[in-house]
Amino acid sequence: MPPSQPSPGPMAKAALRDQLLTARRRRPVVEIGQSAQAICAHLLAADPVRRAASVAAYVSVGTEPGTAPLLDALVAAGTRVLLPVLLADGDLDWAAYAGAGSLAAARLGLLEPTGPRLGVDAIATPDVVLVPGLAVDDRGMRMGRGGGSYDRALARVPVGTFTCVLLFDDEVGRDVPVEPHDRPVAAAVTPSGLRVF
């Protein structure tokens, strides 16, 4: 294959990513809200999350499975929550979450914490790491939006840390094209429950 042509992995990923994003755009707003509540309940009942002193998470946007109820419940329970700050090079810095009032609009339509930056290696310290995604296969290989930010972050997470992707039910068990830089997760949570790989 000539070097100027993309390999089948990236092309297959782009096609699947487009299909999944289209399906998400068609989800009713009420379903997204109900999903956020169900995902929150499943995670709060999960042993790794209940025992965690600190959790790395993210602020959902648009039609992603919602995280607002979860973030507030974790803080109310006394759990330290770290949220990402997207850097210019696509990597992720981290800062502590101090409630919805501590978030500010950022580029790409994101909401980010306004507190002191903790550095890209701060992702190595939480007991639980919750990440966004578009799909996951039966081995825990996750597909994101294509920027590679979370693959870089997951590479810094110590082996044995509970890592989990938040998805809708029909996004689990998909045939996800895998590339060498892709990092697996230990589990997926959907409105129907938690699945450990």
Side-chain angles (χ1 to χ4, degrees):
M1 182 181 303
S4 61
Q5 291 183 340
S7 69
M11 290 189 311
K13 268 189 174 179
L16 179 58
R17 188 174 288 120
D18 183 59
Q19 175 189 353
L20 292 163
L21 287 169
T22 298
R24 280 194 175 178
R25 283 191 291 272
R26 293 182 178 147
R27 287 188 193 278
V29 174
V30 68
E31 179 188 342
I32 295 168
Q34 291 167 342
S35 296
Q37 295 294 336
I39 286 171
C40 175
H42 293 311
L43 284 171
L44 293 178
D47 283 342
V49 177
R50 283 191 302 109
R51 292 192 312 255
S54 63
V55 172
Y58 63 97
V59 180
S60 60
V61 294
T63 56
E64 290 181 324
T67 59
L70 176 66
L71 298 178
D72 292 336
L74 288 169
V75 170
T79 306
R80 182 173 192 237
V81 177
L82 299 185
L83 296 177
V85 176
L86 183 63
L87 299 174
D89 66 356
D91 210 340
L92 298 175
D93 200 338
W94 299 87
Y97 176 62
S102 70
L103 298 175
R107 53 193 186 100
L108 304 179
L110 300 174
L111 289 173
E112 296 179 340
T114 57
R117 303 295 183 256
L118 304 173
V120 296
D121 291 326
I123 189 63
T125 61
D127 304 303
V128 169
V129 176
L130 305 176
V131 298
L134 292 174
V136 70
D137 70 13
D138 291 327
R139 300 168 300 151
M141 295 307 297
R142 165 196 157 275
M143 187 175 75
R145 289 185 176 259
S149 300
Y150 279 93
D151 287 314
R152 283 194 252 180
L154 286 168
R156 298 181 181 108
V157 174
V159 173
T161 301
F162 183 75
T163 55
C164 182
V165 60
L166 282 61
L167 297 169
F168 293 105
D169 293 322
D170 58 352
E171 297 169 341
V172 176
R174 301 298 294 254
D175 185 14
V176 173
V178 177
E179 295 180 84
H181 65 269
D182 291 333
R183 300 291 173 163
V185 291
V189 64
T190 71
S192 295
L194 181 71
R195 178 174 174 187
V196 177
F197 299 112

